[in-house]
Amino acid sequence: MQKFIPKRLSGVDLFLRLFQIAAVALILIAIFNTASEARYTASQWATLLFAGLAQGSIYALIALGYTLVYGILLMINFAHGEVYMAGAFSTVFLAAYFARTGFLNEQPWLAILIMILFAAAISTIVAVLLERIAYRPLRNAPRLIPLITAIGASFALQYTFRGLYGAEFRAYPEVAILRGNMNLFGFQVPVVQPFVFITALLLMGALYWYVERTKAGKAMRAVSEDKDVAKLMGVDIDKVIVTTFMLGGALAGAAGVFNGLFRPQGVFFLMGFFPGIKAFTAAVLGGIGNIPGAMIGGLLLGVIEALGPNLILEGLGIPSANQLKDAIAFIVLVMILIFRPQGIFGERLAEKKA
Amino acid sequence: MGNINWRTILRLGLLGSVVALYFSMIGMVEDFSNRNLIGDLLNLGHVLLYAGIAGGALFAAREHSESNTVGRGLIGLATGALGALLPSGLVLLSSAINMRTVFVNVNPALSNIITFGRGVPTGLLLFVLASAVVGLITALFTVLPETWRGPVGKSFGIVIISAVFSDLVRQVLTNIIGSGMVRSLYVGDAYRPLVAAVLFVGLIALFFWLDRRAKQSNETTAIPQTDAKARQAKNRRNIALFLGWGVFLLIAPWILGSFLSQVLFEIGRFVLLGLGLNIVVGYAGLLDLGYVAFFAFGAYTMGILTTTTAINPAPGVFTFWTALPIVVLVGVVFGLLLGFPVLRMRGDYLAIVTLGFGEIIRILALSDWLAPIMGGAQGILKIPNPVFFGLELNSPELMYYLVLAGSLLAAFISIRLRDSRLGRQWMAMREDEDVAEAMGINLVQTKLLAFAIGAGFSALGGAIFAARLSTIFPHSFNLLISINALSLIIVGGLGSIPGVIVGAIALVGLPELLREFQEYRLLMYGILLIVMMLLRPEGFIPAEVFKRELHSDEDTGGPPAVEAQV
Amino acid sequence: MSKRFSTLLAVLLVSSLLLTACGGGAADGAGAADGGDAMECTDEIGCVEVASGDSIHLAYMLTVSGATAFLGEDSLGGIQVALANRGQVLGHDVELTGEDSGCSAEGGQTAATAVTADDSVVAIIGTNCSGAATAGLPTVSEAGLLMCSPSNTAPALTDPDQTWLPGYFRTAHNDLFQGRVAAEFAYNELGAMTAATIHDGSPYADQLQQVFAATFAELGGTVTFQGAVNVGDTDMRPVLTSVAADSPDVLYFPIFEPEGPFIVSQATEIDGLENTVLMGADGLLADSFPENSGENVVGMFLSGPYVTGAEYDAFLADWESQIGGVPPSGFHAFAYDCTNMILDAVEAVAQQGSDGSLLIGRQALRDAMASTTGYAGLTGSLACNEYGDCATGEALAVFEITQAELDGNWPPAAVYTP
């Protein structure tokens, strides 16, 4: 074994460097191939790009929940995808009720606002219960233990909601006012996509303001910097942690409604798993613990996923490229963790937490 | 009568009520009520409905340890009656409005179970009364003298559990006393009430007697014995135990029949996986959520090399036995390859990245891209069963021996590794990577060896799986296998080899025996993982190291205070 | 577990073993003696004896839990209606027990070992998913049982060079039929010259699109693209963009919900799909599909089983009264036919003793089932070939989804039958 790897970490470094070069070269070749084949029109690329941005802003909202909790507790809330599912799944019934009574099309903005608030409330309750039951008693336990609890909580939540609402797929009703296309930079874009994108950006801006400009936000930043010192300064740690979970939960709930407006079908009890993993990837991509990082990371991941199969995988001559779409997010995650664990914006937290 | 803390009663009563409401609303009470335990007097749905209520009363009575019998009885009565609050509310609400469009399980059938089929006013009163009585009985249980409490509690538990697993019990009993006798003990799947009562009383007597004898023998051994003699006796007992279990393992399939052998096979398969993952997670402390990847490599390599379809690149060249070393080698090599990029990652990052690897492998196995090699969505068909000196291992009884041999080998290697230099390096690394490195441990080598050996076990498991199933599809290699394997080593006790076996029996074997409740399997896993981490993070059969580590900060070692979990 | 307890357990287990070794043999001998009195079993793979007053035991292996439970409930209902309508067979009640086989190979195998452990089982109705059948069939076949599936469609199961084994039958359509019907409809009726296909990684969808593509090309059309999505995907725009690059006349995606509705609703956004006709298969033939897909579903075609006629209406009325509601999927009639064909075969081969007991030869039962011809079932005229395919492909049709279906009418009208 010793002969296998001649010198301690330098062998690893060399291998990783070669890996990096190969990956970049493959991506460039693929893009070149796709470009030279010119199978797709500009408007087709634009369709993918705009959908990717809308999807990315949903990832970003969920990613903020991971990043906030990570910033404070240095733990990955593995069950955050389920917090998102809880809001989205519960609100589908409210939305259907609004559609049945006609309220949704008479007062669309008010109806959507109520739906967002309702989803945020449900997700917040789930997030706070999660913290109270599954995480708080374990705050001083070895690192592995809360992570395992989180995995358990993830399954418990999925199947609890399945028990409550059943296993069928549900769909959000269509909102008349968000139907149809609009002209954006000369391309036809479904109205709902810029709507989701802009509203999500507004929410993220509000969060940023809260964390940077209010007193409660200051307390959060203090706890994230140093828990013990913050405590000495009179910050109520438990309260800050609960606030953090509430904020993350509320944003995830809102993301659930945006998802329902953007892509109405497929609301069911497992809908949170993949978005959860992908949002986590987005948070790592932007630099976990970093709020603007999560936003940029989310948008970037949305776009990479939307363009990746056609731009890169087809360029490599892979048949049924779209089948490998989920692999893209994971590969991005592995690449980031290998080559730039601190993400685009973050400090090197991977070291600090160990 | 002592002080009665009404706040505690309110809190615990409502908590019990929430639990009862939860099981009712997610449909478990209704589904489980189809399974009678004792005649048609008691079914599993009742157990679930009243479990929370009884638990609330139990804790309430315990909190009032200074109260006398009457006081505690009243406390139990009050807590139990309070526990009926939320389910009663649900019944009232659902009789007024149709809740089924949202909450699919809140239906008339559920109301019927809660109200004993008597409708709203009478039935609800009955339910409140029943809850109060359940609370009273549980509270009175805490008043029993110490010498009685153990036997009564254990006997009750055994009666209920043996009724839940009546399939298993009946199959074994049929082999011993014949089917006619067994039929006279049961109605359907449930005990006849008289049988249950006799069993309960009999068990109490048995436990009482056992306790007495144990106490007497303790008194006699209190006379100082020579060390050598005691050790000798202990050794003798260990050897007897070992031989007993050995004989049982060897002849088990032939008394249990083919279905239970299949269950044993499934348990064995997960023991193999668990032992491998135990090296990675338990010994080396690397949380790997993508362990299924190596299982898939093993199964696919075995499938591709031995199948008789066109996918096989060298048809007829390999048999199960000649392919087996290659399979294990492939597993080890992929363990190294996938271990390499994640060398620098720790804890949660490692968990998510390995999860990603597991998914990528499944996605690749399913893809049209690799379909010419791996079969894609159509999977790999016609993988032959192993042939052992002319005997085709085509039944669960025979395949059981293969998985038993594999597990024994893996257990042997695990024990040897644990006590070796490498094992100590793993444990040092698990405790603190930086310190371990400073002590001169080569982290790269140590980590990679953990991944590689774990992967080898997993690939072996995959190969046996493929040979037993004779057809493999990518869908079989999903995240759940990783989660199953991880859950079982955690429930059994991280780093503990007997723990892996107990975990596999509890998480793989028992659910197979309750196949009609498959839907709730993952829910139970989830809840079990949380409860386990909160109450007993070291597992059922903890490894010594973890036991010390996890309880070092507790003065007493008693269960943590209840407040912490609510 | 204390050491004392585990010693006790070990001793108990070992002593139970010893007891069994003695007791088991005696019981076997007694059983054989009983059987010998009345009738002689001459069947080469054994017989089932049904004593007077006992019931004839059928078992199901269906997916009754999890995401595919609707398939199992649908088939199970079909079996139950068949049994209720039939009443007693040769003076015996028919008892139905069963195991959940899930939709996986492992589940199929475990269910098969559980069902075959009971040697009173005469025949099995199942499985729903082909993967479960492939893995369970060796056990079932070895045990001498007969298994009839209402919804396995994989061609390999009735191909003796692949996974066919003696004892296997099905009333469901081989994918080879349905893929062909869909391709013929697209080429001949719609006049399509180019087609693209999408599958979802399930063996069923993959097989169906392969047959579709092969048939379409054989008829003279061009297949421009064959792609796939994953179960759980929500963004179909990338794959639809790949399809749109060649603007095919037809897009065939024999997949399930919710991926199917995603494709339907997102197809409107993609340039180049304006004139593409969408086609699905029986996986989408469910009343929730139009509503979940939205407006673009109007004008779409679905291939699937086509069961009609007065007898079928009577069946639906029985379902309504015995089980309630409407069947959740499209395979109940196939399960109904399976059950009746098996019971017909039992009636044909069972030897009746003087006391009313029955002796059913297992090979004789298989032979009787295999020789079924011109059986008038709910799903049309059935004739089993020697490898167990009993459906002839007659009871298939292509349905068109119109505004009426979007407004809640179900099922849609058939616009093409082969």
Side-chain angles (χ1 to χ4, degrees):
Chain A
M1 202 64 217
Q2 203 68 46
K3 282 178 216 138
F4 243 97
I5 301 140
K7 274 174 69 189
R8 302 196 52 190
L9 278 175
S10 63
V12 181
D13 284 332
L14 183 69
F15 176 84
L16 292 181
R17 177 63 56 182
L18 285 175
F19 190 59
Q20 193 172 13
I21 293 168
V24 172
L26 267 182
I27 291 173
L28 289 178
I29 293 171
I31 293 177
F32 176 77
N33 279 349
T34 310
S36 59
E37 264 183 42
R39 248 171 84 84
Y40 306 109
T41 63
S43 95
Q44 283 171 335
W45 286 119
T47 305
L48 292 179
L49 180 69
F50 286 119
L53 282 173
Q55 175 65 64
S57 57
I58 292 169
Y59 286 156
L61 284 176
I62 308 172
L64 283 168
Y66 281 103
T67 267
L68 286 170
V69 169
Y70 194 92
I72 304 280
L73 285 177
L74 295 183
M75 70 163 274
I76 296 174
N77 178 8
F78 201 87
H80 191 58
E82 270 55 63
V83 172
Y84 155 82
M85 175 274 289
F89 201 177
S90 303
T91 313
V92 84
F93 300 100
L94 184 71
Y97 175 74
F98 283 168
R100 246 197 336 270
T101 55
F103 182 61
L104 190 60
N105 289 326
E106 283 159 26
Q107 295 282 343
W109 302 120
L110 184 62
I112 290 174
L113 182 69
I114 294 175
M115 278 154 59
I116 290 176
L117 290 177
F118 181 76
I122 298 280
S123 290
T124 304
I125 292 170
V126 172
V128 170
L129 279 178
L130 192 64
E131 195 272 334
R132 190 71 188 80
I133 296 172
Y135 300 152
R136 190 181 297 182
L138 297 171
R139 214 174 281 159
N140 296 317
R143 295 197 56 81
L144 205 56
I145 288 181
L147 187 62
I148 292 164
T149 324
I151 294 170
S154 178
F155 281 97
L157 282 173
Q158 283 170 8
Y159 286 86
T160 297
F161 278 88
R162 180 206 155 112
L164 286 179
Y165 300 142
E168 294 101 85
F169 295 102
R170 314 264 172 181
Y172 273 78
E174 281 190 57
V175 188
I177 201 167
L178 292 175
R179 213 183 289 166
N181 291 343
M182 63 187 283
N183 194 314
L184 208 63
F185 310 114
F187 297 109
Q188 287 295 309
V189 181
V191 180
V192 66
Q193 292 176 9
F195 169 77
V196 165
F197 182 72
I198 291 167
T199 325
L201 280 191
L202 286 177
L203 273 179
M204 289 184 244
L207 176 80
Y208 192 72
W209 172 82
Y210 180 85
V211 173
E212 294 293 323
R213 294 278 181 273
T214 66
K215 202 171 168 202
K218 203 179 216 172
M220 278 173 73
R221 280 180 292 136
V223 174
S224 127
E225 206 61 45
D226 191 323
K227 238 183 266 176
D228 297 328
V229 175
K231 205 171 186 175
L232 288 177
M233 296 293 138
V235 177
D236 182 345
I237 306 275
D238 279 343
K239 204 174 133 194
V240 169
I241 291 174
V242 170
T243 316
T244 310
F245 273 88
M246 288 175 76
L247 284 175
L251 291 174
V257 175
F258 290 145
N259 180 64
L261 297 175
F262 169 51
R263 243 181 0 213
Q265 303 89 355
V267 178
F268 78 126
F269 69 101
L270 289 176
M271 68 181 289
F273 180 72
F274 269 114
I277 302 261
K278 286 174 183 170
F280 171 74
T281 306
V284 174
L285 186 60
I288 195 155
N290 183 309
I291 292 174
M295 303 179 196
I296 303 292
L299 294 178
L300 207 55
L301 187 70
V303 172
I304 293 174
E305 269 204 337
L307 298 183
N310 301 67
L311 185 64
I312 297 170
L313 295 178
E314 275 189 12
L316 293 174
I318 295 175
S320 296
N322 193 67
Q323 259 187 328
L324 306 181
K325 201 176 74 145
D326 286 329
I328 292 177
F330 289 120
I331 290 170
V332 168
L333 178 64
V334 176
M335 294 288 190
I336 289 286
L337 285 176
I338 294 174
F339 302 121
R340 201 181 155 80
Q342 70 271 41
I344 301 172
F345 290 94
E347 48 178 323
R348 205 181 161 85
L349 273 166
E351 293 289 322
K352 180 174 146 190
K353 73 184 185 74
Chain B
M1 222 160 106
N3 287 332
I4 291 182
N5 184 346
W6 290 105
R7 271 184 63 107
T8 310
I9 292 178
L10 190 66
R11 195 164 51 87
L12 289 170
L14 282 181
L15 194 69
S17 203
V18 167
V19 173
L21 181 73
Y22 175 81
F23 284 132
S24 306
M25 286 189 71
I26 63 171
M28 282 177 90
V29 169
E30 188 198 337
D31 277 1
F32 282 40
S33 68
N34 296 325
R35 179 62 169 269
N36 283 340
L37 296 180
I38 300 175
D40 44 15
L41 296 176
L42 183 73
N43 61 46
L44 204 51
H46 290 133
V47 173
L48 273 179
L49 182 61
Y50 293 106
I53 296 171
L58 183 72
F59 280 108
R62 272 212 197 151
E63 296 262 304
H64 294 85
S65 50
E66 72 292 342
S67 301
N68 59 16
T69 310
V70 180
R72 282 206 234 175
L74 281 178
I75 288 163
L77 212 58
T79 321
L82 200 57
L85 187 69
L86 294 178
S88 312
L90 185 72
V91 171
L92 279 177
L93 196 63
S94 70
S95 66
I97 55 170
N98 178 14
M99 297 172 71
R100 274 186 88 170
T101 48
V102 177
F103 298 103
V104 290
N105 286 308
V106 182
N107 52 25
L110 177 69
S111 299
N112 261 340
I113 294 161
I114 296 180
T115 59
F116 303 94
R118 298 275 170 84
V120 165
T122 352
L124 270 191
L125 280 179
L126 273 179
F127 173 59
V128 175
L129 200 66
S131 305
V133 170
V134 167
L136 175 70
I137 294 172
T138 348
L140 290 182
F141 172 72
T142 66
V143 189
L144 284 179
E146 189 84 35
T147 43
W148 282 97
R149 222 184 296 159
V152 172
K154 273 189 234 169
S155 307
F156 182 71
I158 288 179
V159 170
I160 295 291
I161 290 170
S162 65
V164 171
F165 295 104
S166 67
D167 261 358
L168 172 72
V169 176
R170 271 194 314 180
Q171 214 141 9
V172 174
L173 278 183
T174 307
N175 283 336
I176 300 172
I177 58 172
S179 59
M181 283 281 279
V182 172
R183 223 171 286 161
S184 65
L185 298 177
Y186 285 91
V187 269
D189 277 337
Y191 282 126
R192 286 181 195 281
L194 187 66
V195 175
V198 170
L199 182 65
F200 182 53
V201 174
L203 280 170
I204 293 179
L206 177 72
F207 279 118
F208 202 64
W209 176 73
L210 279 176
D211 281 354
R212 274 263 295 276
R213 231 188 51 146
K215 207 182 282 170
Q216 274 165 3
S217 72
N218 272 349
E219 275 158 18
T220 49
T221 51
I223 304 158
Q225 224 175 6
T226 57
D227 257 9
K229 220 175 181 179
R231 209 180 304 136
Q232 214 177 13
K234 205 177 155 194
N235 275 345
R236 256 207 310 269
R237 213 165 54 190
N238 277 346
I239 290 169
L241 199 69
F242 186 76
L243 283 179
W245 280 113
V247 170
F248 173 70
L249 282 179
L250 273 182
I251 54 173
W254 308 106
I255 36 163
L256 295 178
S258 67
F259 173 61
L260 290 177
S261 300
Q262 173 75 15
V263 174
L264 275 187
F265 173 80
E266 290 290 314
I267 294 174
R269 175 158 78 87
F270 274 95
V271 166
L272 200 48
L273 284 179
L275 286 171
L277 189 61
N278 192 36
I279 289 181
V280 185
V281 184
Y283 293 172
L286 305 163
L287 185 56
D288 184 349
L289 291 184
Y291 196 57
V292 64
F294 309 115
F295 183 68
F297 280 128
Y300 266 95
T301 312
M302 179 54 77
I304 291 168
L305 290 179
T306 62
T307 174
T308 53
T309 60
I311 276 182
N312 194 336
V317 173
F318 289 101
T319 66
F320 175 81
W321 303 104
T322 51
L324 203 56
I326 300 178
V327 169
V328 175
L329 191 70
V330 166
V332 169
V333 169
F334 274 100
L336 291 174
L337 280 181
L338 291 191
F340 222 90
V342 298
L343 278 175
R344 302 266 175 80
M345 292 168 204
R346 297 177 186 191
D348 334 19
Y349 282 95
L350 183 69
I352 304 261
V353 169
T354 48
L355 188 152
F357 275 148
E359 284 295 296
I360 289 176
I361 299 303
R362 187 182 58 80
I363 291 170
L364 286 179
L366 185 58
S367 69
D368 291 356
W369 180 36
L370 296 179
I373 311 169
M374 303 181 78
Q378 299 302 324
I380 297 179
L381 307 176
K382 300 183 84 171
I383 303 165
N385 292 128
V387 178
F388 187 69
F389 292 113
L391 177 66
E392 194 187 350
L393 307 183
N394 57 356
S395 67
E397 287 95 333
L398 293 170
M399 278 304 273
Y400 159 80
Y401 288 105
L402 190 59
V403 84
L404 178 68
S407 303
L408 287 177
L409 180 72
F412 176 72
I413 296 175
S414 286
I415 294 172
R416 298 295 297 165
L417 281 174
R418 184 190 62 196
D419 299 336
S420 73
R421 188 185 162 82
L422 182 60
R424 288 193 298 277
Q425 288 180 341
W426 280 333
M427 285 170 219
M429 187 173 76
R430 179 185 72 201
E431 297 311 318
D432 193 320
E433 282 195 11
D434 299 325
V435 173
E437 193 169 18
M439 299 303 285
I441 292 174
N442 181 341
L443 285 188
V444 172
Q445 185 185 320
T446 318
K447 272 194 187 179
L448 285 180
L449 275 175
F451 278 123
I453 295 170
F457 286 1
S458 187
L460 178 63
I464 296 176
F465 174 72
R468 165 79 186 111
L469 206 52
S470 76
T471 42
I472 49 176
F473 296 98
H475 303 281
S476 299
F477 304 97
N478 52 29
L479 178 66
L480 282 185
I481 300 211
S482 304
I483 297 291
N484 254 340
L486 183 69
S487 306
L488 75 90
I489 63 172
I490 288 164
V491 167
L494 267 184
S496 146
I497 290 165
V500 171
I501 297 161
V502 170
I505 292 172
L507 293 194
V508 179
L510 298 189
E512 285 295 340
L513 297 176
L514 291 174
R515 290 172 59 79
E516 62 253 58
F517 305 126
Q518 288 282 348
E519 286 191 38
Y520 300 101
R521 182 175 183 164
L522 287 168
L523 178 70
M524 290 290 109
Y525 275 19
I527 294 176
L528 191 63
L529 281 186
I530 301 175
V531 171
M532 208 69 196
M533 287 301 105
L534 291 175
L535 300 181
R536 204 179 157 85
E538 72 275 23
F540 282 134
I541 303 188
E544 280 305 311
V545 195
F546 276 97
K547 206 159 146 189
R548 263 180 278 137
E549 183 188 331
L550 287 163
H551 287 282
S552 58
D553 49 3
E554 281 172 32
D555 300 334
T556 53
V562 187
E563 284 84 5
Q565 304 130 33
V566 205
Chain C
M1 213 189 314
S2 73
K3 189 150 270 174
R4 191 157 48 83
F5 185 65
S6 97
T7 317
L8 184 72
L9 200 61
V11 169
L12 273 176
L13 283 169
V14 170
S15 52
S16 77
L17 291 184
L18 293 175
L19 276 168
T20 327
C22 317
D28 285 352
D34 284 348
D37 291 343
M39 289 165 286
E40 193 94 21
C41 175
T42 52
D43 200 277
E44 58 203 274
I45 55 171
C47 299
V48 196
E49 198 202 337
V50 184
S52 144
D54 279 4
S55 40
I56 298 173
H57 188 174
L58 296 186
Y60 66 81
M61 278 164 49
L62 300 168
T63 166
V64 289
S65 73
T68 47
F70 68 98
L71 277 176
E73 283 157 17
D74 183 74
S75 308
L76 186 55
I79 300 170
Q80 285 164 341
V81 172
L83 294 182
N85 288 358
R86 186 120 182 171
Q88 285 199 326
V89 174
L90 301 173
H92 291 259
D93 288 334
V94 182
E95 178 196 3
L96 180 69
T97 61
E99 284 290 329
D100 181 9
S101 61
C103 198
S104 65
E106 306 87 288
Q109 188 172 54
T110 310
T113 53
V115 168
T116 53
D118 185 344
D119 58 12
S120 70
V121 175
V122 174
I124 299 170
I125 297 150
T127 63
N128 286 121
C129 298
S130 299
T134 316
L137 189 53
T139 310
V140 170
S141 187
E142 179 74 26
L145 281 161
L146 177 161
M147 176 164 111
C148 180
S149 166
S151 66
N152 291 162
T153 59
L157 280 167
T158 50
D159 181 344
D161 294 331
Q162 298 209 40
T163 57
W164 174 82
L165 285 170
Y168 181 77
F169 297 90
R170 67 173 161 209
T171 52
H173 303 281
N174 196 316
D175 281 336
L176 297 174
F177 300 139
Q178 196 185 154
R180 171 164 283 278
V181 168
E184 283 172 354
F185 172 75
Y187 189 81
N188 297 333
E189 304 293 315
L190 294 177
M193 294 308 295
T194 53
T197 65
I198 296 176
H199 71 89
D200 65 355
S202 65
Y204 157 83
D206 181 37
Q207 187 74 54
L208 213 47
Q209 64 86 19
Q210 281 181 29
V211 175
F212 176 91
T215 314
F216 193 77
E218 183 190 300
L219 291 169
T222 312
V223 178
T224 57
F225 176 82
Q226 284 177 279
V229 296
N230 287 313
V231 172
D233 273 2
T234 51
D235 188 4
M236 304 298 174
R237 293 173 189 88
V239 72
L240 288 173
T241 304
S242 303
V243 171
D246 306 297
S247 296
D249 297 332
V250 166
L251 172 61
Y252 185 60
F253 50 106
I255 62 175
F256 298 88
E257 288 196 68
E259 291 80 21
F262 277 130
I263 288 190
V264 176
S265 71
Q266 291 172 19
T268 52
E269 290 177 30
I270 312 291
D271 272 359
L273 290 181
E274 295 80 4
N275 300 318
T276 302
V277 177
L278 302 180
M279 268 187 86
D282 49 6
L284 293 174
L285 200 58
D287 55 2
S288 55
F289 170 64
E291 192 195 334
N292 284 346
S293 303
E295 285 179 353
N296 197 35
V297 79
V298 174
M300 183 178 167
F301 296 94
L302 297 173
S303 61
Y306 183 48
V307 186
T308 178
E311 280 179 45
Y312 183 63
D313 294 339
F315 170 85
L316 287 181
D318 291 339
W319 181 293
E320 169 82 49
S321 67
Q322 292 170 25
I323 294 167
V326 290
S329 183
F331 297 102
H332 43 272
F334 297 90
Y336 183 92
D337 284 349
C338 261
T339 314
N340 277 316
M341 284 166 67
I342 289 171
L343 292 176
D344 281 0
V346 168
E347 281 178 348
V349 303
Q351 298 171 254
Q352 281 177 285
S354 49
D355 59 346
S357 66
L358 298 180
L359 194 67
I360 303 165
R362 293 194 181 278
Q363 184 60 46
L365 189 68
R366 286 179 179 179
D367 293 342
M369 186 83 173
S371 62
T372 304
T373 47
Y375 179 85
L378 280 184
T379 60
S381 172
L382 300 174
C384 301
N385 69 15
E386 59 182 315
Y387 301 119
D389 254 330
C390 299
T392 51
E394 276 175 31
L396 280 168
V398 175
F399 304 88
E400 182 176 7
I401 310 272
T402 62
Q403 185 64 38
E405 277 71 41
L406 187 57
D407 296 337
N409 171 52
W410 198 260
V415 291
Y416 171 77
T417 47

